[in-house]
Amino acid sequence: KVLFLSNGDSGRFDLPPSLPSLAKPVQPAALLLTVNRLLAQPAPAANNLKIILVVDHNLARGERTKNIFVNDGYAVITAHSVEEAEALSDTVENIDLVVSGVIFPGQSGVHLAEHVEASGRDISTLLVSHFHPDLLRSTAGFSRQPEFLPNPFTPEALLTRVRRLLEA
């Protein structure tokens, strides 16, 4: 059984509501009550929680994307720039998927996909763009091509593509 503790900065890491969590600082009585309640519950089935890094400089669009994932049972880490996402992808041990826009001030989402691929970790990348995927693919030197999703997208189209990538 797992109890997640956070610094209360819900803008950076969000868990599905079904997972137990407390924001720090935690009052001892609240911690004790939550731990006792958690221990009294039957053991959960194996939980293969998937962690998605959402990268978007547009705060409203990033929040919408994050909420789609959290509501579907994924844990989400957010970044607002490619540089911030690169640092997170280098330091966070378990990231299963990066979902990023392509156009950013500074580095591009294509650069981020190249960075993630160069790390040698098994992290898939989904780039969201209004550009045609063939144009984007021809600009990057990937050994493993990232996936592309046209923007704007529906929640259903996003989740269908993400589920396929995470099952591969």
Side-chain angles (χ1 to χ4, degrees):
K1 297 178 183 179
V2 176
L3 173 63
F4 291 91
L5 299 175
S6 75
N7 66 359
D9 179 9
S10 64
R12 169 66 79 187
F13 186 70
D14 287 280
L15 293 167
S18 61
L19 296 176
S21 63
L22 289 173
K24 296 188 285 185
V26 179
Q27 296 298 316
L31 178 61
L32 185 60
L33 177 67
T34 303
V35 168
N36 284 333
R37 189 177 307 141
L38 185 61
L39 290 174
Q41 296 174 354
N47 185 0
N48 294 324
L49 181 64
K50 298 293 184 183
I51 300 174
I52 300 173
L53 172 57
V54 173
V55 188
D56 200 325
H57 68 280
N58 180 302
L59 299 179
R61 187 176 51 218
E63 185 72 14
R64 175 181 173 259
T65 304
K66 176 187 78 171
N67 289 336
I68 291 169
F69 290 138
V70 170
N71 291 335
D72 203 55
Y74 297 104
V76 177
I77 303 169
T78 58
H80 303 294
S81 70
V82 169
E83 294 79 10
E84 185 182 4
E86 286 178 346
L88 286 168
S89 72
D90 290 343
T91 57
V92 175
E93 186 175 332
N94 295 320
I95 295 175
D96 298 291
L97 176 66
V98 175
V99 176
S100 175
V102 173
I103 305 300
F104 285 91
Q107 296 290 350
S108 72
V110 173
H111 177 83
L112 174 61
E114 291 171 332
H115 178 86
V116 169
E117 181 182 354
S119 74
R121 295 172 60 194
D122 188 24
I123 302 173
S124 296
T125 304
L126 176 62
L127 296 176
V128 180
S129 176
H130 63 277
F131 292 113
H132 192 278
D134 291 339
L135 174 66
L136 294 169
R137 282 191 184 97
S138 68
T139 63
F142 298 102
S143 62
R144 182 182 69 187
Q145 290 292 330
E147 289 277 333
F148 291 93
L149 179 69
N151 198 11
F153 56 83
T154 64
E156 295 78 18
L158 176 65
L159 290 171
T160 297
R161 185 71 56 91
V162 164
R163 288 176 187 136
R164 185 172 51 80
L165 284 169
L166 291 174
E167 290 173 4

